PDB file of all heavy atoms in Angstrom:
ATOM      1  N   LEU A 529      -0.725  -5.010 -15.997  1.00 93.00           N
ATOM      2  CA  LEU A 529      -1.079  -4.209 -17.173  1.00 93.00           C
ATOM      3  C   LEU A 529       0.095  -3.358 -17.652  1.00 93.00           C
ATOM      4  O   LEU A 529      -0.085  -2.443 -18.439  1.00 93.00           O
ATOM      5  CB  LEU A 529      -2.269  -3.289 -16.848  1.00 93.00           C
ATOM      6  CG  LEU A 529      -3.597  -3.987 -16.554  1.00 93.00           C
ATOM      7  CD1 LEU A 529      -4.652  -2.964 -16.169  1.00 93.00           C
ATOM      8  CD2 LEU A 529      -4.056  -4.802 -17.753  1.00 93.00           C
ATOM      9  N   THR A 530       1.293  -3.660 -17.141  1.00 94.00           N
ATOM     10  CA  THR A 530       2.458  -2.854 -17.479  1.00 94.00           C
ATOM     11  C   THR A 530       3.449  -3.702 -18.267  1.00 94.00           C
ATOM     12  O   THR A 530       3.937  -4.719 -17.773  1.00 94.00           O
ATOM     13  CB  THR A 530       3.135  -2.313 -16.201  1.00 94.00           C
ATOM     14  OG1 THR A 530       2.171  -1.573 -15.444  1.00 94.00           O
ATOM     15  CG2 THR A 530       4.305  -1.410 -16.546  1.00 94.00           C
ATOM     16  N   LEU A 531       3.728  -3.282 -19.485  1.00 95.00           N
ATOM     17  CA  LEU A 531       4.717  -3.991 -20.292  1.00 95.00           C
ATOM     18  C   LEU A 531       6.117  -3.676 -19.785  1.00 95.00           C
ATOM     19  O   LEU A 531       6.413  -2.534 -19.435  1.00 95.00           O
ATOM     20  CB  LEU A 531       4.601  -3.569 -21.757  1.00 95.00           C
ATOM     21  CG  LEU A 531       3.333  -4.003 -22.495  1.00 95.00           C
ATOM     22  CD1 LEU A 531       3.286  -3.366 -23.877  1.00 95.00           C
ATOM     23  CD2 LEU A 531       3.273  -5.523 -22.597  1.00 95.00           C
ATOM     24  N   ALA A 532       6.964  -4.695 -19.757  1.00 92.00           N
ATOM     25  CA  ALA A 532       8.338  -4.490 -19.297  1.00 92.00           C
ATOM     26  C   ALA A 532       9.027  -3.405 -20.122  1.00 92.00           C
ATOM     27  O   ALA A 532       9.774  -2.580 -19.580  1.00 92.00           O
ATOM     28  CB  ALA A 532       9.119  -5.804 -19.369  1.00 92.00           C
ATOM     29  N   ALA A 533       8.765  -3.381 -21.425  1.00 95.00           N
ATOM     30  CA  ALA A 533       9.422  -2.395 -22.291  1.00 95.00           C
ATOM     31  C   ALA A 533       9.052  -0.971 -21.891  1.00 95.00           C
ATOM     32  O   ALA A 533       9.847  -0.043 -22.086  1.00 95.00           O
ATOM     33  CB  ALA A 533       9.040  -2.652 -23.750  1.00 95.00           C
ATOM     34  N   ALA A 534       7.877  -0.794 -21.307  1.00 92.00           N
ATOM     35  CA  ALA A 534       7.445   0.545 -20.898  1.00 92.00           C
ATOM     36  C   ALA A 534       8.250   1.040 -19.706  1.00 92.00           C
ATOM     37  O   ALA A 534       8.226   2.222 -19.387  1.00 92.00           O
ATOM     38  CB  ALA A 534       5.956   0.538 -20.566  1.00 92.00           C
ATOM     39  N   CYS A 535       8.959   0.134 -19.032  1.00 93.00           N
ATOM     40  CA  CYS A 535       9.770   0.498 -17.860  1.00 93.00           C
ATOM     41  C   CYS A 535      11.230   0.708 -18.216  1.00 93.00           C
ATOM     42  O   CYS A 535      12.055   0.960 -17.333  1.00 93.00           O
ATOM     43  CB  CYS A 535       9.680  -0.604 -16.796  1.00 93.00           C
ATOM     44  SG  CYS A 535       8.001  -0.983 -16.298  1.00 93.00           S
ATOM     45  N   ASP A 536      11.547   0.598 -19.508  1.00 94.00           N
ATOM     46  CA  ASP A 536      12.942   0.687 -19.941  1.00 94.00           C
ATOM     47  C   ASP A 536      13.563   2.004 -19.472  1.00 94.00           C
ATOM     48  O   ASP A 536      13.018   3.081 -19.710  1.00 94.00           O
ATOM     49  CB  ASP A 536      13.007   0.588 -21.469  1.00 94.00           C
ATOM     50  CG  ASP A 536      14.429   0.427 -21.966  1.00 94.00           C
ATOM     51  OD1 ASP A 536      15.268  -0.086 -21.195  1.00 94.00           O
ATOM     52  OD2 ASP A 536      14.703   0.841 -23.102  1.00 94.00           O
ATOM     53  N   GLY A 537      14.670   1.898 -18.772  1.00 94.00           N
ATOM     54  CA  GLY A 537      15.360   3.088 -18.288  1.00 94.00           C
ATOM     55  C   GLY A 537      14.807   3.625 -16.992  1.00 94.00           C
ATOM     56  O   GLY A 537      15.364   4.561 -16.413  1.00 94.00           O
ATOM     57  N   GLY A 538      13.704   3.054 -16.530  1.00 91.00           N
ATOM     58  CA  GLY A 538      13.093   3.536 -15.292  1.00 91.00           C
ATOM     59  C   GLY A 538      13.521   2.702 -14.102  1.00 91.00           C
ATOM     60  O   GLY A 538      14.262   1.733 -14.225  1.00 91.00           O
ATOM     61  N   ARG A 539      13.049   3.102 -12.956  1.00 91.00           N
ATOM     62  CA  ARG A 539      13.341   2.377 -11.721  1.00 91.00           C
ATOM     63  C   ARG A 539      12.080   1.621 -11.337  1.00 91.00           C
ATOM     64  O   ARG A 539      10.997   2.191 -11.296  1.00 91.00           O
ATOM     65  CB  ARG A 539      13.703   3.389 -10.628  1.00 91.00           C
ATOM     66  CG  ARG A 539      14.206   2.766  -9.344  1.00 91.00           C
ATOM     67  CD  ARG A 539      14.779   3.840  -8.431  1.00 91.00           C
ATOM     68  NE  ARG A 539      13.742   4.729  -7.913  1.00 91.00           N
ATOM     69  CZ  ARG A 539      13.459   4.834  -6.602  1.00 91.00           C
ATOM     70  NH1 ARG A 539      14.132   4.143  -5.723  1.00 91.00           N
ATOM     71  NH2 ARG A 539      12.517   5.656  -6.196  1.00 91.00           N
ATOM     72  N   VAL A 540      12.232   0.337 -11.063  1.00 92.00           N
ATOM     73  CA  VAL A 540      11.083  -0.485 -10.689  1.00 92.00           C
ATOM     74  C   VAL A 540      11.264  -0.943  -9.251  1.00 92.00           C
ATOM     75  O   VAL A 540      12.289  -1.530  -8.899  1.00 92.00           O
ATOM     76  CB  VAL A 540      10.955  -1.723 -11.617  1.00 92.00           C
ATOM     77  CG1 VAL A 540       9.812  -2.624 -11.153  1.00 92.00           C
ATOM     78  CG2 VAL A 540      10.733  -1.275 -13.059  1.00 92.00           C
ATOM     79  N   ARG A 541      10.295  -0.642  -8.436  1.00 92.00           N
ATOM     80  CA  ARG A 541      10.313  -1.130  -7.055  1.00 92.00           C
ATOM     81  C   ARG A 541       9.177  -2.106  -6.871  1.00 92.00           C
ATOM     82  O   ARG A 541       8.076  -1.903  -7.386  1.00 92.00           O
ATOM     83  CB  ARG A 541      10.133   0.028  -6.069  1.00 92.00           C
ATOM     84  CG  ARG A 541      11.375   0.853  -5.868  1.00 92.00           C
ATOM     85  CD  ARG A 541      11.249   1.738  -4.650  1.00 92.00           C
ATOM     86  NE  ARG A 541      10.173   2.712  -4.842  1.00 92.00           N
ATOM     87  CZ  ARG A 541       9.722   3.489  -3.867  1.00 92.00           C
ATOM     88  NH1 ARG A 541      10.216   3.391  -2.651  1.00 92.00           N
ATOM     89  NH2 ARG A 541       8.760   4.367  -4.100  1.00 92.00           N
ATOM     90  N   THR A 542       9.431  -3.146  -6.093  1.00 92.00           N
ATOM     91  CA  THR A 542       8.393  -4.112  -5.774  1.00 92.00           C
ATOM     92  C   THR A 542       8.282  -4.221  -4.264  1.00 92.00           C
ATOM     93  O   THR A 542       9.058  -3.602  -3.528  1.00 92.00           O
ATOM     94  CB  THR A 542       8.730  -5.500  -6.351  1.00 92.00           C
ATOM     95  OG1 THR A 542       9.860  -6.031  -5.641  1.00 92.00           O
ATOM     96  CG2 THR A 542       9.036  -5.420  -7.844  1.00 92.00           C
ATOM     97  N   VAL A 543       7.340  -5.025  -3.817  1.00 94.00           N
ATOM     98  CA  VAL A 543       7.123  -5.171  -2.378  1.00 94.00           C
ATOM     99  C   VAL A 543       8.339  -5.797  -1.688  1.00 94.00           C
ATOM    100  O   VAL A 543       8.498  -5.673  -0.478  1.00 94.00           O
ATOM    101  CB  VAL A 543       5.829  -5.976  -2.120  1.00 94.00           C
ATOM    102  CG1 VAL A 543       6.048  -7.467  -2.376  1.00 94.00           C
ATOM    103  CG2 VAL A 543       5.296  -5.709  -0.724  1.00 94.00           C
ATOM    104  N   GLU A 544       9.195  -6.446  -2.469  1.00 93.00           N
ATOM    105  CA  GLU A 544      10.419  -7.007  -1.898  1.00 93.00           C
ATOM    106  C   GLU A 544      11.497  -5.948  -1.700  1.00 93.00           C
ATOM    107  O   GLU A 544      12.561  -6.236  -1.163  1.00 93.00           O
ATOM    108  CB  GLU A 544      10.977  -8.128  -2.789  1.00 93.00           C
ATOM    109  CG  GLU A 544      10.154  -9.405  -2.798  1.00 93.00           C
ATOM    110  CD  GLU A 544       9.019  -9.349  -3.806  1.00 93.00           C
ATOM    111  OE1 GLU A 544       8.968  -8.382  -4.605  1.00 93.00           O
ATOM    112  OE2 GLU A 544       8.173 -10.256  -3.790  1.00 93.00           O
ATOM    113  N   GLY A 545      11.223  -4.738  -2.172  1.00 88.00           N
ATOM    114  CA  GLY A 545      12.249  -3.710  -2.214  1.00 88.00           C
ATOM    115  C   GLY A 545      12.750  -3.221  -0.871  1.00 88.00           C
ATOM    116  O   GLY A 545      13.833  -2.685  -0.769  1.00 88.00           O
TER     117      GLY A 545
END
Side-chain angles (χ1 to χ4, degrees):
L529 294 177
T530 304
L531 292 173
C535 304
D536 190 26
R539 188 169 69 117
V540 176
R541 283 194 296 170
T542 69
V543 76
E544 290 85 8

